[in-house]
Amino acid sequence: MSADDAPGPDHARTARPTGAAALPLLERVTRQALEEDYAHVAARRRAREAADPDRADGAGGAGDEAGRGLRRAAVVAAVFGLLVATAAVQTSRNAATDETSRTTLVGRVNEGRDRVTELQRRVAELRETTDDLSGDLEDVVAAEGAAVGEVEGLRLLTGYGATAGPGVRITVDDSRSGRAEGRVRTSDLRRLVTGLWEAGAEAIAVNGLRLTARTAIVTSGQAIAINTRSLTAPYVVEAIGDTRTLQVDLDRTAYGQAFFTVADLVGLQVEADNVARLQLPAPADPVLRYAEPSTPTTSPEASP
């Protein structure tokens, strides 16, 4: 191709595209969208006219379609506004509720804190009271133990309770001669029992009858009686005490010496044995008698 045939500037301008291809890109997209919308509306209108020939012409149908679109838009806008208003009201209510709940919770927390403080103070007071009462209880328990020990000791000494322990068993029987002067007398048992008390016996029983400070060993007719209960020979005297020294100390007492002297003279049968454990009963009539100081009375004549 010659130089003359080459396209110049004027030829280049006349060669630019015309029609829709020559429009800018944004304008082409907008127009294309509108054309498609109109085509869609026209297609729906033709479909309605084919189904109902009596319907209004295209202009009226397009107007109705536009009116319905506006109404739908209005309804959507109204619904959207209602939702926005409802959300705003609900948000306001929730905010008020949240504030009220927060205030209520803060008040409850403060009340709970005060209650906890009061309970802690009460716990401290009760703990202090418990410590004081524990100390008092220990004192009472100690006093009770001492009192129980003292009572047991007094029961043992006075014979108002059963007791057991090691001791001496002395059996006394009439002389084998059968003579009257060879019989065991009340005075013989009195000497023996008194000598055992002096030797350190803690408890004594004769033929199973417990002796106390109120026990009387007397003669009842031809028999020996203890608290109105008659005894028969042989007479078994049981005394709780130290088995290592009780018999020896009995021989050293005046009453013990007098008993063994008489026993040798009249021929009484006497047998003494140490026993690892003796069981002595409580008195048959453990009635404790005591004296009370009387209030001195002043006679009218002695009054100044």
Side-chain angles (χ1 to χ4, degrees), residues 7 30 50 95 121 134 157 169 223 241 288 296:
T30 303
R121 185 189 63 80
S134 298
L157 293 175
R169 180 183 290 123
L288 181 63

Side-chain angles (χ1 to χ4, degrees), residues 214-298:
R214 297 178 54 245
T215 301
I217 302 176
V218 297
T219 301
S220 177
Q222 298 297 321
I224 299 175
I226 294 180
N227 291 340
T228 70
R229 296 185 62 178
S230 298
L231 306 179
T232 58
Y235 304 97
V236 180
V237 180
E238 296 176 323
I240 292 178
D242 190 348
T243 56
R244 297 171 300 179
T245 59
L246 190 56
Q247 291 193 53
V248 175
D249 291 341
L250 174 62
D251 291 335
R252 293 175 178 174
T253 64
Y255 285 98
Q257 293 175 1
F259 168 76
F260 286 112
T261 299
V262 172
D264 291 339
L265 289 175
V266 300
L268 299 179
Q269 303 178 66
V270 180
E271 182 179 352
D273 298 304
N274 288 333
V275 181
R277 181 176 178 81
L278 294 173
Q279 185 74 38
L280 303 187
D285 184 21
V287 177
L288 181 63
R289 295 182 179 180
Y290 57 93
E292 294 181 354
S294 61
T295 302
T297 59
T298 303

Side-chain angles (χ1 to χ4, degrees), residues 191-215:
R191 293 189 186 98
L192 177 58
V193 169
T194 305
L196 287 171
W197 286 125
E198 289 185 353
E202 298 176 357
I204 301 176
V206 178
N207 284 15
L209 297 178
R210 184 72 176 276
L211 304 184
T212 68
R214 297 178 54 245
T215 301

Side-chain angles (χ1 to χ4, degrees), residues 40-66:
H40 180 66
V41 172
R44 293 180 59 183
R45 184 186 61 194
R46 287 193 297 270
R48 286 195 301 270
E49 289 176 353
D52 187 5
D54 296 334
R55 292 181 64 87
D57 56 5
D64 294 340
E65 184 69 21

